[in-house]
Amino acid sequence: MQQIKKPDRMPEAFSQGQKTRFFTFLQRVLIGTLASTLLNLFILFPSPSFAEVVLGVVRSSENSPDWVKITTRLWESGIAYKPINLEQIKTAADLAGVNVLFLPNIETLTAPQIRVLEAWASQGGRLIASGPVGRSSPALVRQSLRSLLGAYWAFPLTQRAAPQPRTRCRDLACTTSSNWVPAEQQNASVQGGVLIPADANSQTVATWKDSSGSSAAIATDRATYLGWRWGSDGSATIDKAWLQASIARWGGTIGSPVAPSTAAAPPIPTPPSRVTRNTPSSPRNTPLSRLSPSGALPDPVPATFTDPSDQSAPAGLDVQANSNKPIVSIEAYLMRQELTNLLGRFESALTASNSGNTAVNLSAPTPAQLVAGSNSAGGPAASRPSVVQGPRVRAIAQARQVLQTFDQLLQQQNYAEARQQWVQARQLLWQNYPQEGQRVGSEIRAVWLDRGTIVAARSEQGLAAVFDRLAAAGINTVFFETLNAGYPIYPSQVAPQQNPLTVGWDPLESGVKLAHERGMELHAWVWTFATGNKRHNTLIGKPGSYPGPVLSAYPNWANIDNKGRIQNPNDGKFYLDPANPEARSYLLRIISEITSRYKVDGVQLDYIRYPFQDDNAGFTYGYGVAARQQFKQLTGVDPVNISPSDGSLWRQWVEFKTNKINTFVAEVSQLLRSNSSRTILSVAVFPHPESQRIYKIQQNWEVWARQGIVDLIVPMTYALDTNRLQRVTEPLAKEQMLGSALISPSVKLLSLPEVVAIDQIQALRDLPTGGYAIFAVESISSGMQGFFNRTQGRPVRSTSASEPIPYRQPFAAAASRYTALKQEWSFLLANNQLRVSESELKVLKSRSDELAQALSKLAANPSTESLATAKRLLASFKSQFQSSMRLHSADNSYQVQTWQNRLESLDMLLRYGERVELNRR
């Protein structure tokens, strides 16, 4: 997740004046009502809507054994969360940016931790707790916790029971406090305990069924207490329904899950213990012959199941300019964050566009040219001279002014004006976003060239026009759709049939020729385990149920779900069984044919996974003929006869499937290195958290990266706004995730306004990545084409890229990137915009020159010795850099963080280069 900056102050959700006016209003409406009821009603009305819930989930040593189960259930619930280690909560600032905090089953808290939670809650934070929270804490801590949560755990129930929503209320306060609760979950139960309300403001919102009214869930204005161990036992439907409702009660929306920034989890998660219902169509005790294509059973996919393979993370913040609703603390924080980050990306793009032709010179001719001398801190950034004129100066100044006056407007309760100014500042930045100026520095500029565009070209001449546009746009890498829906796009000697839409010509042969003529690389984009495709069937006049040419010829190769179906009822696709040795051999022969017959520069594996599954809803995959036989031989058990409630045996089943994907990637890697060692192996993967991804689709790309068997990770980081994109992407671009691989996150153009797409590309450039990928050619509008032409274009017929491609020449790419970074510093320094002291500038110049020389030497003559020198100098420079930029960072923290990210990307390139340029020699 995106690192959250700490706000200086978080205003309360309601001022004293608001409270007084609201209380007066209630008195007028409810004359004669008891004062206690009025008080309850005031407290229990839902708070103003949060713009977006930022859910923090607390991990401690006590819930660590169940952590994977808890996070898996969070993922199944569709809830984005930020994991927070309990021992790291030392001040309220450690919870900055979190507006709802979940304490799942944590029995021991300390006095300092309770004081932090109280301070955070007083700033507008909301709590959700579950299980015997605080039961093992000291007495004074337990007392404070009772006040904070409004309830306490009394004793456990002797048997499982169901929480029953309270439907009968005697007063309006009770109705208001419980109108958010979910409906009763039929035929579901959990192992719970009896809760006791702690004060008059606590309302029982659910009781234990058949328990004479014992409280199962209790709510106050700032807390929801669930009286069972959430996520570790019992019904998933109860867990999901109550947590979703508890978040929504405060007006929050449930965002798409994002990768946690911490939260260590074992490589193969232990799924939650739960009982899978055996329906008549379940394959339990079903003979292998029943699970053939002809024996598929037509059970519908569960209505609640959502396959995220075609989705983008939704936009987060929605600010209505004319609304005078109170802006609560978390909404205020998110508004500051979004405008700050947008301004940072705006200035980052502006600096890059202006510095491309700047000569590197970090010497200051005279002290007057420095904004901050050795005895001066300089003025605010908004007042400094600038070579930028006109609307962009005004846009930057207005955004900075809004950020400076925002808190004052909130204190004055002038919420409409605060929103209006914020929206205007954001709009002004969008309208003037830098969209010109050559972007320099080596980066991967990739695009997926989809089958539809290839088919529409109809010939090499038509395809040439597509490649001309891509060359003019400065694209250096084309992922060319080569195997789709079971059909190769070229005439194959291995596959049963060429794609009927390209019969009569060889698009792959043409594509390789056209790409190389224009100095671009072409990587064969291969659908690996996805084969037949309902959508493609429509295009070629086949029935939707047609499994494609491969499974028609070899039905026993099918991957089968637990209902006996070979066609995925959710995405309409058919899949090969990764455990089937004949299917694996077939795919390897296809890849070998592609790389031996055509001079492709790389192979990209897509659909290198199992189909998305939801075992809680009775929807799992992997029951192909070969998989069942192999697993039974391994364990003595047919996998159709086990469920997640079988614990270690189910874990072994998940490991078995995950290992089938891992070993296939390793086999492809070995094939390429044996036959065509310079062929780049990339993988199109999902950015979901590792444990959930393994559990859902058995895709553990971190293992491939760390083992050095893939060169490039291309995560499908599709999002509808840039802050969400940054939040999803940032945790992926770390050494512990990537090992010696490069990463090139992606932007999905479909449904994005052009300026948002441009902003997202800038965001990826500001993170420590190897570049970016665009999905897809068919979605590149004339406006986006113009942006690419202006900022990274080159002559159409150029036979060499202007900069080295990182995966091809990593050491040269590192030198190029560092030169571009020094150009930015030189540009700002020459225009009196770099705030460093004279002494710090001298140190910066000396160390940066030394590092530049080392990187250039490494690029020119790679060796173990020159690499060691470059690594040492880079580490030294990074350790000194933050100190050198301390003055500049005061008003330009985003810019300095971006520079630090780019230094991190140099580390990534050196790690990758050590493997591909040195160890392969």
Side-chain angles (χ1 to χ4, degrees), residues 378-535:
S383 65
R384 297 197 300 270
S386 174
V387 296
V388 184
Q389 300 298 326
R392 285 183 181 149
V393 170
R394 292 193 293 273
I396 292 171
Q398 182 166 333
R400 288 186 179 274
Q401 182 65 29
V402 169
L403 289 169
Q404 289 175 4
T405 61
F406 188 72
D407 285 352
Q408 182 179 353
L409 291 172
L410 296 189
Q411 291 172 355
Q412 297 169 353
Q413 302 170 31
N414 196 348
Y415 303 117
E417 181 66 20
R419 285 191 175 93
Q420 186 175 17
Q421 287 189 13
W422 185 92
V423 169
Q424 288 174 348
R426 182 177 65 172
Q427 189 64 28
L428 201 57
L429 290 172
W430 286 134
Q431 290 171 351
N432 294 282
Y433 204 95
Q435 298 185 28
E436 69 287 314
Q438 193 73 13
R439 305 298 195 265
V440 298
S442 170
E443 64 182 359
I444 298 165
R445 296 169 177 172
V447 67
W448 280 279
L449 179 44
D450 52 282
R451 181 204 61 225
T453 300
I454 297 169
V455 170
R458 298 182 179 274
S459 66
E460 184 173 314
Q461 183 178 1
L463 198 57
V466 176
F467 276 87
D468 281 345
R469 292 198 300 273
L470 297 180
I475 298 298
N476 56 31
T477 306
V478 177
F479 300 135
F480 193 86
E481 193 158 17
T482 301
L483 182 66
N484 168 281
Y487 296 98
I489 207 163
Y490 63 92
S492 172
Q493 302 300 314
V494 176
Q497 184 182 349
Q498 182 182 356
N499 192 312
L501 301 175
T502 62
V503 169
W505 70 301
D506 188 338
L508 182 56
E509 182 180 44
S510 297
V512 170
K513 172 188 172 185
L514 296 168
H516 290 175
E517 286 176 349
R518 291 155 180 79
M520 292 184 285
E521 295 214 352
L522 185 140
H523 297 200
W525 165 19
V526 173
W527 287 34
T528 312
F529 291 114
T531 182
N533 185 340
K534 183 178 180 180
R535 294 179 185 176

Side-chain angles (χ1 to χ4, degrees), residues 164-431:
Q164 192 171 31
R166 186 177 179 186
T167 56
R168 296 181 180 179
C169 288
R170 297 181 180 178
D171 56 53
L172 186 57
C174 172
T175 301
T176 303
S177 67
S178 61
N179 61 8
W180 53 270
V181 301
E184 183 177 355
Q185 311 301 305
Q186 298 296 326
N187 303 317
S189 61
V190 291
Q191 189 65 52
V194 173
L195 301 182
I196 305 297
D199 57 47
N201 297 325
S202 304
Q203 295 287 344
T204 295
V205 294
T207 59
W208 290 115
K209 193 172 184 178
D210 302 324
S211 68
S212 302
S214 297
S215 296
I218 289 176
T220 70
D221 63 309
R222 63 181 180 181
T224 305
Y225 197 164
L226 308 178
W228 60 92
R229 292 181 180 272
W230 196 97
S232 63
D233 188 27
S235 167
T237 57
I238 288 176
D239 279 351
K240 289 190 279 189
W242 276 91
L243 186 61
Q244 289 170 341
S246 298
I247 293 172
R249 67 172 291 213
W250 290 304
T253 58
I254 299 170
S256 292
V258 292
S261 55
T262 55
I268 304 295
T270 302
S273 297
R274 49 185 179 266
V275 178
T276 301
R277 295 187 297 276
N278 295 334
T279 63
S281 59
S282 172
R284 290 178 177 275
N285 304 313
T286 303
L288 288 172
S289 60
R290 282 289 308 283
L291 295 180
S292 66
S294 60
L297 300 170
D299 290 270
V301 69
T304 58
F305 179 68
T306 301
D307 185 340
S309 58
D310 290 327
Q311 297 178 352
S312 296
L317 200 59
D318 181 20
V319 177
Q320 303 298 322
N322 298 321
S323 172
N324 199 35
K325 290 171 57 179
I327 298 176
V328 296
S329 58
I330 186 60
E331 184 179 7
Y333 170 76
L334 290 171
M335 290 173 71
R336 287 191 212 97
Q337 183 190 49
E338 175 159 325
L339 189 58
T340 298
N341 288 350
L342 175 58
L343 176 61
R345 294 189 299 269
F346 183 102
E347 292 185 307
S348 186
L350 192 59
T351 300
S353 69
N354 284 328
S355 61
N357 295 319
T358 300
V360 173
N361 181 6
L362 294 180
S363 298
T366 64
Q369 288 183 294
L370 296 175
V371 172
S374 57
N375 299 314
S376 171
S383 65
R384 297 197 300 270
S386 174
V387 296
V388 184
Q389 300 298 326
R392 285 183 181 149
V393 170
R394 292 193 293 273
I396 292 171
Q398 182 166 333
R400 288 186 179 274
Q401 182 65 29
V402 169
L403 289 169
Q404 289 175 4
T405 61
F406 188 72
D407 285 352
Q408 182 179 353
L409 291 172
L410 296 189
Q411 291 172 355
Q412 297 169 353
Q413 302 170 31
N414 196 348
Y415 303 117
E417 181 66 20
R419 285 191 175 93
Q420 186 175 17
Q421 287 189 13
W422 185 92
V423 169
Q424 288 174 348
R426 182 177 65 172
Q427 189 64 28
L428 201 57
L429 290 172
W430 286 134
Q431 290 171 351

